[in-house]
C-alpha cells in the first residue's frame, strides 16, 4: 500500500505555482493526510520561475522523499536551474504541456516517463480558466485527493475574488481531474484517518516560531526585515497586538537588538528575529545583554552564507558565530529547533530560559524549517512555570545588589518602578552593586557567576531528542533531523537498529547527558549541512565521540534525502 | 545672564531672603561637591580648602535663617522656580576648576564669586525701593565683605602658583 | 501594554524629594572643570522640581565621559553600548510608558555612531528627553575630532590637518527629522539649563537638548565659552524656518531659548488586546 506521494508543480512568469501548491497542501490536510511543502523560486521578486514541492503521507512527515513521483510544469523557463532540488526516479512521470516546448534534458536523465497534457488549452477552454488550477486538478486526481475537498479549499482561497473567478476555478479543477483520470496512471494515497478528538494544523516553521514566542510570554518585538525571517515578524505584528503586546519596525538590526534590551530591562519579555547578516550586526549588543544580565531572545533563521550568501536557501553555518561570536567571555544560551513543530516548543523554551537565567538566548532556526509549510498534529500545550526572580525593596539600610553573588548565579532583578531598587545596568565589568570595576577579583567573581548560572541550571530531557536503539547512532541538529528520522525509520523497517540524537540545547554544553546518551554506541555518523563540518568540530571540541565516527556534510542549498543517510548505514554494514 | 525664575530679590524681603538662603545653600553644596571632586583627583590641599569653605557657607545659611527670624519673615513663602536654586551670583562655577590648581588660585576664584555676591547686594541696597529690602541687603553685603576679608587672610598664607603649575608629565588615560 | 500617563505624585502628602535624592553615592570621575558636573546638577534639580519619584525615572546612556552619568544618579539606569542609547531607551519607553525616560550621551556617541538612531528617534517621536553633552571632541578616547568639531581643528593626532569635514548641526537635523522640542544650552548657565530641562521633560514627544559642555582636558580653549556664549534672539524661536535659519547661520554659541515646541503627537503603542492565545491558534486549524 502506498503510504506517501511526492509531487512538484512548477511554472514561471506569474503562473501561480506556489498558490496552487498551498491549496493542495490545505486540501491534503482536510483529506486527513499529513503533508509537507517547500518551494523553490528564482531571484526575481515576481515573475521568476517557481516550483511547489509537496509530499502527502499517511504518517507525520517533515522531510522530502528521495525523489518526486510527479513533476508537472506549466512551462520550462529556467526550471532546469532547479533540477537538483527536484530529483526524479525511473518510476516518476513528467506531465508536460506540448505547447510549452520540450522537456529539458536534465529532467529526462532520470529515466522518468513523459506524458503530454494540453494544460493551457484546457484552461483556455474555460472562461477565466487558469493553467495552475487545471494542474492542481490533475495532481489532485493523480494522488487521490477528493475533488469536493479540493474544490472547497479552492473556493475558500478565492473568497474575496467574486463569483466568476470562483466558478472558473471550480471548472478548471474538474477539467484537471478528468484529464488525470484519462491518463491511466495513479499515485493514489488511501484516505487518512484522524483519531477522535485530535486536531491538526497547517503551519510554517516561522509561524510556529512566532506562536512559540508569544506562548513563552514575549510581548515586545523590534523588527527589521531580512530574508528568510521577515515572516516571523509579519505574523507576530497583529498577533502581538491581539494579546496586548506590540511590534515596532526599527531602522536597522542594531536598533532592534538594543530596543529589545531596553524593553526587557523594563520587565517586558522581548524578542527579535533575523538571519546571518543581522546576527553579525547584533553581536556587540548581545554581549551587552550578557554583561548586564538582561534576558532577550534572538531568532536566527539561518540561510546560505557567508556575507549576503544565498538568502532564500537553507544552510547550517551560523553555528560558529552563534556559539563563539561574542567578544570576551560571554556565556549565553543557544538552542535549535529540529522540526517545524519543534519551532513552537524550542522558541517558547528559549524565552523561558532567557527570563529565568537573565541571559540572551539565540534560537537557530533555518530557511528550510522556517519556510516549510506542514500539516501536522496540533502541538501539545507546554506550561512554562514562571521562574523569574524579581527583586522587591531590600531590607532597610541595605542597598540593592543587582548583581549579587548567589549560589545559583541568578540575582533577583529589579524592574523599574520598584522603589528602593534603583540600579544602573552595566556593560562595563562591575561589582555586586553594578558599580563599574576593573578589579581582578570582581571580574573573576562576576565571570564565575555568569557561567555558573547557566551551567548549574537543570535543563531536563529537552536538551536533545533521543530516539531508537542499537549501537549505531546518528548525531545531528536542526533541519537535518527530519531526514535522519526518516532514515532511521526505514532502517528499522528493514530490520536494522540505530539511534538518533538531535541536539536542541547547543550552549551550555551537557557533557554528562551526552555521555549518557552515547552509552553503548560503537559507531556514530554526524549529519549536518555545512561545508566545514561546524557541528562535527563543535562535538569534537566539547564531547567524547566514539572512536569510529563518520561525517556526512555538505553546504546548502540541497537538503539531505533520507536515502543518502540510509546509504551511509548500509555502507557500514558492508565494511 | 538669564533673568528668569520666580524669586525677585528686589521685590520683597521674602524674596531677598529666599534668594540669599538658596544661594548660600547652593554654594555650600557646590563647595562640598568640589571638595569631593578634588579629593577624587588627589589634590588634597585644595579639597580641604573647599571643605572649609563649604562649612563657612553653611554658617551663612544659618545667618540668613537668623535674619529671617529677626525680620519676622516666614521662609518658604516664595516658591522657587526650576532654575532658582542655581541662579545666584555667588555660586562657584565648576567649569573654572583645574585638577592641578593650587590653593592660591582656588582662593582667588572663590573671591571672585564672593565679590560678585557683594556687588549684587550693594547694588540692591542702593536701588531697591523697599526699605526692608535695602536694610537686609546691607546686612547681607556686610556678611560677604567679612567673608572676603577672611579669604584675603587665607590667601596670604599661600604662595602664588608657579608659571608651569599645570604641567603634568603623565599622558591622559583612556578608561572606557 | 497600557498607554499610560506619567503619574504625578501627590505633593500634598508626600515629603518633597530634594535634588540630592536623585544623586547616588558614586563619585564622578570627570575632570575638575568638566561641564558635565553642572549638567548632572541641573538634571537632579529639574527632576526635583518635577517631583518625580526616583524609581519611576530611567536614564539610558551610551559610551563616553558623559555617558557615565546614570551611575551618578539614583534613578534606574542603563549604561549601554556606544551609539545605541536611543533605541534602548525607545524600547524601554514604548514597553513601559509609565516611566520618565531620559537619554544622555556625548556628541560622538550621539552623532557619529549614533547618527542613524538619532535621525529615526526624531522621526519616531517617542516621549523622552535626549540630553547631549556636546564638547566637540571624543574625550574618553583622548581627544579625537567628533562630528561637531570645526573642520580646521588640528588638535588630534588622527587628523593633524583637521578633519576638513563640515561640522554637523544636530539641531537642524533634529528639526528636519521631526523632533518635537529643540533647545541649546550651556553647562555654565545652570539655572537656564534647569528651566529648559524641566520644560523638555514635560513636553510630549522627543525633546532634544544640546548642552555645550566644555572638555577642559582636550579642548582647554573651551574655557573661553563662558565669555563667548550669548542668549539666542527671540526671533530665532518665532517659527520653524527662523529656527533653522538661525541655527545654520550662527556660530553655535547662542543658547538659552527653546527654538521649537512642536505639537506632533508622541508615538505610542496601542495594543487592542482583544484576544488570547486560543484566538491565535485558531488561525492554524485546518
Amino acid at each position: 500500500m502506498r503510504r506517501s506521494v511526492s509531487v512538484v508543480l512548477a511554472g514561471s512568469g506569474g503562473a501561480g505555482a506556489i498558490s496552487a501548491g498551498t491549496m493542495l497542501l490545505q486540501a491534503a490536510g482536510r483529506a486527513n493526510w499529513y503533508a509537507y511543502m517547500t518551494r523553490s523560486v528564482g531571484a526575481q521578486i515576481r515573475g521568476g520561475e517557481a516550483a511547489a514541492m509537496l509530499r502527502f503521507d499517511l504518517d507525520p512527515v517533515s522531510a522530502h522523499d528521495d525523489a518526486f513521483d510527479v513533476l508537472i510544469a506549466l512551462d520550462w523557463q529556467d526550471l532546469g536551474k532547479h533540477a537538483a532540488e527536484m530529483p526524479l526516479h525511473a518510476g516518476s512521470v513528467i506531465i508536460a504541456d506540448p505547447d510549452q516546448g520540450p522537456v529539458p534534458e536534465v529532467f529526462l536523465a532520470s529515466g522518468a516517463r513523459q506524458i503530454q497534457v494540453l494544460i493551457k488549452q484546457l484552461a483556455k477552454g474555460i472562461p477565466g480558466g487558469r493553467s495552475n488550477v487545471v494542474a492542481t486538478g490533475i495532481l489532485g486526481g493523480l494522488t487521490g485527493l477528493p475533488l469536493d475537498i479540493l474544490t472547497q479549499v479552492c473556493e475558500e482561497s478565492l473568497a474575496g475574488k467574486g463569483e466568476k473567478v470562483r466558478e472558473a476555478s471550480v471548472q478548471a479543477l474538474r477539467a484537471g481531474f478528468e484529464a488525470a483520470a484519462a491518463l491511466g496512471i495513479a499515485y493514489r494515497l488511501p484516505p487518512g484517518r484522524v483519531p477522535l478528538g485530535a486536531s491538526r494544523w497547517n503551519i510554517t516553521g516561522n509561524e510556529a516560531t512566532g506562536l512559540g514566542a508569544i506562548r513563552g510570554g514575549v510581548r515586545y518585538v523590534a523588527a527589521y526585515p531580512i530574508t528568510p525571517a521577515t515572516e516571523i515578524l509579519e505574523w507576530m505584528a497583529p498577533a502581538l497586538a491581539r494579546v496586548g503586546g506590540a511590534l515596532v519596525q526599527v531602522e536597522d538590526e542594531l536598533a532592534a537588538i538594543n530596543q529589545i534590551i531596553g524593553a526587557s530591562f523594563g520587565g517586558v519579555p522581548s524578542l527579535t528575529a533575523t538571519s546571518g547578516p543581522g546576527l553579525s550586526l547584533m553581536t556587540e549588543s548581545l554581549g551587552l545583554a550578557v554583561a548586564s544580565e538582561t534576558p532577550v531572545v534572538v531568532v536566527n533563521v539561518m540561510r546560505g552564507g557567508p556575507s549576503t550568501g544565498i538568502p532564500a536557501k537553507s544552510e547550517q553555518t551560523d553555528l560558529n558565530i552563534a556559539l563563539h561570536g561574542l567578544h570576551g567571555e560571554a556565556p549565553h544560551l543557544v538552542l535549535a529547533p529540529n522540526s517545524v513543530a519543534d519551532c513552537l516548543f524550542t522558541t517558547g523554551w528559549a524565552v523561558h530560559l532567557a527570563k529565568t537565567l537573565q541571559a540572551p538566548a539565540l534560537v537557530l532556526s533555518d530557511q528550510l524549517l522556517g519556510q516549510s509549510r506542514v500539516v501536522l498534529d496540533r502541538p501539545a500545550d507546554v506550561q512554562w512555570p514562571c521562574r523569574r526572580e524579581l527583586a522587591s525593596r531590600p531590607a532597610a539600610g541595605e542597598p540593592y545588589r543587582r548583581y549579587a553573588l548567589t549560589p545559583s548565579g541568578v540575582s533577583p532583578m529589579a524592574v523599574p518602578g520598584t522603589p528602593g531598587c534603583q540600579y544602573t545596568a552595566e556593560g562595563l565589568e562591575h561589582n555586586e552593586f553594578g558599580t563599574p570595576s576593573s578589579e581582578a577579583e570582581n571580574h573573576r567573581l562576576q565571570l564565575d557567576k555568569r557561567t555558573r548560572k547557566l551551567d548549574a541550571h537543570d535543563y531536563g530531557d529537552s536538551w536533545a531528542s533521543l530516539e531508537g536503539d542499537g549501537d549505531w547512532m546518528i548525531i545531528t541538529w536542526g533541519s537535518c533531523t527530519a531526514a535522519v528520522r526518516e532514515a532511521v525509520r526505514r532502517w528499522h523497517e528493514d530490520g536494522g537498529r540505530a539511534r538518533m540524537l538531535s541536539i536542541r540545547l547547543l550552549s551550555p554544553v551537557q557533557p554528562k547527558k551526552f555521555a549518557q546518551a552515547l552509552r553503548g554506541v560503537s559507531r556514530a555518523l554526524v549529519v549536518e549541512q555545512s561545508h566545514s563540518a561546524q557541528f562535527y568540530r563543535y562535538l569534537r571540541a566539547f564531547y567524547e565521540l566514539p572512536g569510529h565516527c563518520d561525517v556526512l556534510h555538505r553546504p546548502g542549498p540541497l537538503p539531505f534525502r533520507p536515502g543518502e543517510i540510509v546509504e551511509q548505514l548500509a555502507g557500514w554494514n558492508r565494511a | 545672564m538669564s533673568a528668569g525664575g520666580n524669586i525677585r530679590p528686589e521685590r520683597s524681603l521674602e524674596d531677598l531672603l529666599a534668594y540669599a538662603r538658596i544661594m548660600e545653600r547652593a554654594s555650600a553644596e557646590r563647595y562640598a561637591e568640589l571638595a569631593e571632586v578634588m579629593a577624587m583627583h588627589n589634590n588634597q590641599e585644595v579639597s580641604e580648602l573647599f571643605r572649609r569653605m563649604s562649612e563657612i557657607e553653611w554658617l551663612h545659611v544659618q545667618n540668613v535663617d537668623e535674619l529671617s527670624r529677626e525680620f519676622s519673615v516666614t521662609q518658604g513663602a516664595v516658591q522657587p522656580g526650576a532654575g532658582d536654586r542655581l541662579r545666584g551670583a555667588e555660586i562657584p562655577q565648576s567649569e573654572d576648576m583645574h585638577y592641578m590648581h593650587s590653593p592660591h588660585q582656588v582662593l582667588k576664584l572663590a573671591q571672585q564669586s564672593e565679590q560678585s555676591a557683594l556687588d549684587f547686594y550693594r547694588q540692591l541696597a542702593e536701588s531697591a525701593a523697599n526699605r526692608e529690602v535695602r536694610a537686609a541687603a546691607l546686612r547681607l553685603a556686610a556678611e560677604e565683605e567679612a567673608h572676603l576679608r577672611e579669604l584675603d587672610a587665607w590667601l596670604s598664607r599661600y604662595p602664588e602658583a608657579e608659571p608651569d603649575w599645570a604641567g603634568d608629565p603623565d599622558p591622559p588615560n583612556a578608561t572606557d | 501594554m497600557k498607554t499610560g500617563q506619567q503619574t504625578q505624585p501627590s505633593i500634598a502628602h508626600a515629603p518633597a524629594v530634594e535634588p540630592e535624592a536623585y544623586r547616588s553615592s558614586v563619585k564622578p570621575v570627570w575632570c575638575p572643570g568638566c561641564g558635565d558636573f553642572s549638567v548632572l546638577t541641573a538634571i537632579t534639580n529639574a527632576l526635583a522640581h518635577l517631583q518625580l519619584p526616583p524609581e519611576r525615572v530611567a536614564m539610558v546612556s551610551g559610551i563616553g565621559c558623559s555617558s557615565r552619568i546614570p551611575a551618578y544618579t539614583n534613578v534606574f539606569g542603563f549604561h549601554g553600548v556606544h551609539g545605541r542609547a536611543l533605541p534602548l531607551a525607545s524600547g524601554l519607553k514604548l514597553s513601559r510608558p509609565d516611566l520618565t525616560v531620559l537619554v544622555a550621551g556625548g556628541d560622538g556617541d550621539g552623532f557619529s555612531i549614533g547618527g542613524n538612531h538619532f535621525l529615526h528617534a526624531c522621526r519616531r517621536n517617542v516621549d523622552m528627553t535626549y540630553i547631549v553633552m556636546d564638547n566637540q571632541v571624543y574625550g574618553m578616547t583622548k581627544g579625537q575630532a567628533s562630528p561637531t568639531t570645526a573642520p580646521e581643528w588640528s588638535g588630534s593626532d588622527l587628523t593633524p590637518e583637521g578633519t576638513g569635514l563640515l561640522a554637523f548641526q544636530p539641531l537642524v537635523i533634529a528639526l528636519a527629522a521631526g523632533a518635537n522640542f529643540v533647545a541649546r544650552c550651556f553647562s555654565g548657565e545652570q539655572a537656564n539649563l534647569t528651566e529648559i530641562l524641566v520644560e523638555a521633560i514635560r513636553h510630549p514627544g522627543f525633546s532634544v537638548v544640546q548642552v555645550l559642555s566644555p572638555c577642559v582636558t582636550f579642548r582647554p580653549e573651551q574655557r573661553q565659552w563662558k565669555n563667548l556664549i550669548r542668549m539666542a534672539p527671540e526671533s530665532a524661536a518665532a517659527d520653524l524656518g527662523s529656527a533653522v535659519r538661525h541655527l545654520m547661520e550662527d556660530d553655535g554659541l547662542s543658547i538659552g531659548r527653546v527654538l521649537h515646541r512642536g505639537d506632533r503627537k508622541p508615538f505610542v503603542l496601542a495594543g487592542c488586546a482583544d484576544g488570547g492565545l486560543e484566538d491565535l491558534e485558531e488561525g492554524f486549524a485546518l
Side-chain angles (χ1 to χ4, degrees), chain A residues 158-525:
Chain A
L158 295 170
K161 300 267 169 91
E163 186 53 43
K164 279 218 189 91
V165 174
R166 280 203 299 281
E167 184 51 38
S169 300
V170 170
Q171 287 186 39
L173 278 177
R174 178 169 300 117
F177 245 78
E178 286 162 7
L183 293 178
I185 53 167
Y187 295 86
R188 283 207 175 80
L189 267 191
R193 264 195 316 271
V194 180
L196 208 54
S199 63
R200 295 197 187 153
W201 282 359
N202 172 342
I203 192 170
T204 66
N206 278 344
E207 289 166 343
T209 302
L211 181 63
I214 293 182
R215 266 198 190 171
V218 167
R219 291 297 181 266
Y220 188 84
V221 169
Y224 192 71
I226 184 171
T227 305
T230 310
E231 289 136 25
I232 298 176
L233 305 165
E234 287 177 340
W235 183 84
M236 288 190 85
L240 276 166
R242 295 196 68 187
V243 296
L247 178 144
V248 173
Q249 182 184 332
V250 296
E251 58 271 25
D252 57 29
E253 286 89 347
L254 301 160
I257 180 68
N258 279 280
Q259 278 222 8
I260 64 174
I261 291 173
S264 184
F265 169 72
V268 178
S270 59
L271 170 146
T272 190
T274 187
S275 191
L279 182 63
S280 290
L281 287 173
M282 294 184 190
T283 52
E284 182 198 16
S285 298
L286 281 165
L288 177 65
V290 171
S292 63
E293 302 200 48
T294 311
V296 288
V297 176
V298 175
V299 177
N300 178 22
V301 186
M302 295 184 289
R303 69 195 216 178
S307 186
T308 314
I310 311 177
K313 299 281 188 219
S314 206
E315 204 168 63
Q316 291 187 313
T317 46
D318 291 344
L319 181 62
N320 282 350
I321 190 175
L323 292 169
H324 307 299
L326 310 191
H327 67 270
E329 303 273 27
H332 55 282
L333 297 152
V334 179
L335 298 98
N338 58 32
S339 72
V340 167
D342 199 39
C343 288
L344 176 54
F345 173 84
T346 301
T347 309
W349 193 33
V351 175
H352 170 76
L353 287 175
K355 278 192 285 189
T356 304
L357 301 173
Q358 298 174 18
L362 301 181
V363 178
L364 294 179
S365 174
D366 63 29
Q367 181 273 331
L368 185 59
L369 289 176
Q371 295 188 327
S372 295
R373 186 166 277 288
V374 188
V375 171
L376 41 65
D377 290 318
R378 182 189 181 286
D381 277 323
V382 182
Q383 292 303 327
W384 301 112
C386 182
R387 297 265 305 273
R388 285 174 77 184
E389 294 192 45
L390 296 177
S392 51
R393 192 193 286 271
E398 290 266 328
Y400 168 56
R401 291 169 196 243
R402 168 64 184 99
Y403 301 110
L405 301 167
T406 60
S408 68
V410 178
S411 326
M413 177 164 103
V415 169
T418 313
C421 289
Q422 293 93 284
Y423 74 99
T424 293
E426 258 298 350
L428 285 170
E429 188 59 281
H430 43 261
N431 61 18
E432 288 186 270
F433 300 96
T435 306
S437 165
S438 60
E439 287 170 52
E441 188 64 0
N442 273 325
H443 189 41
R444 191 184 63 75
L445 288 169
Q446 291 290 323
L447 283 170
D448 280 346
K449 168 201 195 299
R450 292 190 293 255
T451 308
R452 177 167 78 248
K453 73 178 178 180
L454 296 183
D455 287 347
H457 186 80
D458 178 10
Y459 297 95
D461 292 332
S462 300
W463 79 284
S465 296
L466 179 58
E467 296 161 13
D469 63 2
D471 338 329
W472 290 357
M473 177 180 267
I474 308 179
I475 309 173
T476 189
W477 71 292
S479 58
C480 290
T481 305
V484 171
R485 257 196 190 116
E486 181 153 349
V488 169
R489 193 191 74 192
R490 287 189 202 174
W491 192 246
H492 284 183
E493 279 167 8
D494 286 344
R497 288 168 72 216
R499 290 187 238 182
M500 178 196 83
L501 179 73
S502 173
I503 300 183
R504 185 180 287 105
L505 180 71
L506 293 154
S507 176
V509 295
Q510 308 293 307
K512 281 213 192 88
K513 294 190 209 264
F514 188 89
Q516 173 86 354
L518 273 273
R519 280 242 202 93
V521 170
S522 59
R523 208 166 170 158
L525 173 68

Side-chain angles (χ1 to χ4, degrees), chain B residues 2 5 25 29-30 33 36-37 40-41 82-83 85-87 93-99 172 174-176, chain C residues 20 23 27 29-30 32-33 37-38 45 49 68 140 142 187-188 190-192 194-195 198 218 223 226:
Chain B
S2 34
R25 186 179 163 161
E29 287 167 349
R30 181 61 53 81
E33 180 186 70
E36 279 187 352
V37 174
M40 193 63 159
H41 288 77
R85 287 171 204 257
L86 299 169
R87 183 163 272 115
Q93 292 283 59
S94 326
E95 282 81 355
D96 292 334
M97 301 302 147
H98 191 291
Y99 72 108
T175 56
D176 251 5
Chain C
E20 301 75 62
R23 298 282 299 253
K27 306 207 191 319
V29 298
W30 296 321
F37 284 106
S38 301
N45 275 270
H49 185 80
R68 290 247 176 177
M140 179 62 77
K142 303 196 287 171
S187 65
Q190 290 174 61
N192 170 267
T194 307
E195 282 156 358
V198 166
F218 295 108
R223 284 188 191 269
K226 64 178 191 281

Side-chain angles (χ1 to χ4, degrees), chain A residues 26 29-30 200-203 207 215 219-220 235 239 241-242 244 246 248-252 254-255 258-259 261-263 265-266 284-285 292 378 415-418 421-428, chain C residues 1 26 54-56 58 68 70-71 74-82 84 87-88 90-92 94-96 99 116-117 120 124 267 269 271-277 279-281 284-286:
Chain A
Q26 175 76 347
R30 292 265 180 87
R200 295 197 187 153
W201 282 359
N202 172 342
I203 192 170
E207 289 166 343
R215 266 198 190 171
R219 291 297 181 266
Y220 188 84
W235 183 84
R242 295 196 68 187
V248 173
Q249 182 184 332
V250 296
E251 58 271 25
D252 57 29
L254 301 160
N258 279 280
Q259 278 222 8
I261 291 173
F265 169 72
E284 182 198 16
S285 298
S292 63
R378 182 189 181 286
V415 169
T418 313
C421 289
Q422 293 93 284
Y423 74 99
T424 293
E426 258 298 350
L428 285 170
Chain C
M1 218 166 314
V26 180
E55 69 270 10
R56 297 223 153 258
R68 290 247 176 177
N74 189 35
V75 301
F76 277 95
F78 208 120
H79 187 200
V81 293
H82 198 34
R84 318 290 170 202
L88 203 149
S90 302
L92 175 60
L94 286 173
S95 57
R96 289 291 306 278
L99 301 173
N116 190 33
H117 302 307
H120 296 283
R124 193 184 297 286
F267 181 82
L269 298 172
C272 44
D274 65 352
L277 268 177
D279 301 288
L280 299 181
E281 295 181 3
F284 297 119
L286 285 169

Side-chain angles (χ1 to χ4, degrees), chain B:
Chain B
M1 162 195 289
S2 34
N6 287 354
I7 296 179
R8 304 250 178 282
E10 69 285 3
R11 174 173 61 192
S12 74
L13 197 52
E14 283 80 7
D15 278 83
L16 174 57
L17 291 173
Y19 174 89
R21 190 179 203 283
I22 283 179
M23 191 171 69
E24 300 298 338
R25 186 179 163 161
S27 299
E29 287 167 349
R30 181 61 53 81
Y31 280 127
E33 180 186 70
L34 288 170
E36 279 187 352
V37 174
M38 286 304 182
M40 193 63 159
H41 288 77
N42 297 299
N43 189 339
Q44 298 303 343
E45 226 184 341
V46 165
S47 174
E48 182 54 30
L49 259 184
F50 280 139
R51 203 186 51 74
R52 280 159 61 193
M53 287 198 265
S54 175
E55 282 167 7
I56 291 176
E57 297 295 343
W58 278 115
L59 287 175
H60 287 194
V61 172
Q62 286 173 24
N63 287 341
V64 174
D65 288 342
E66 272 170 34
L67 258 182
S68 303
R69 279 192 290 277
E70 216 184 285
F71 282 84
S72 302
V73 165
T74 3
Q75 290 183 338
V78 187
Q79 277 305 305
D84 280 322
R85 287 171 204 257
L86 299 169
R87 183 163 272 115
E90 181 181 339
I91 306 172
Q93 292 283 59
S94 326
E95 282 81 355
D96 292 334
M97 301 302 147
H98 191 291
Y99 72 108
M100 289 190 75
H101 264 156
S102 67
H104 189 98
Q105 288 164 303
V106 150
L107 286 168
K108 277 262 186 248
L109 284 170
Q111 280 194 324
Q112 278 175 26
S113 303
E114 302 296 315
Q115 183 68 48
S116 47
L118 172 60
D119 293 339
F120 175 78
Y121 287 134
R122 273 197 185 137
Q123 214 242 338
L124 201 56
E126 276 163 35
S127 64
N130 185 318
R131 188 174 47 82
E132 281 184 319
V133 168
R134 288 204 304 274
L138 279 172
R139 291 274 289 276
L140 291 164
E143 281 281 343
E144 298 300 335
E145 232 175 338
H147 193 183
L148 267 169
R149 282 201 296 276
E150 191 165 357
L151 288 176
D152 268 334
W154 292 10
L155 207 48
S156 65
R157 284 184 226 142
Y158 296 103
E160 277 196 37
E162 302 292 304
D164 64 344
W165 64 271
D168 180 348
D170 284 351
N173 298 312
T175 56
D176 251 5

Side-chain angles (χ1 to χ4, degrees), chain C residues 25-27 32 59 77 84 90 95 97 100-101 111 115 117 126 146 153 171 178 184 196 200 211 223 232 248 258:
Chain C
S25 56
V26 180
K27 306 207 191 319
M59 186 168 316
R84 318 290 170 202
S90 302
S95 57
T100 298
V101 177
F111 306 137
H117 302 307
V126 171
S146 85
W153 182 70
L171 297 184
R184 182 159 63 207
I196 286 187
V211 186
R223 284 188 191 269
M248 291 193 73
V258 178

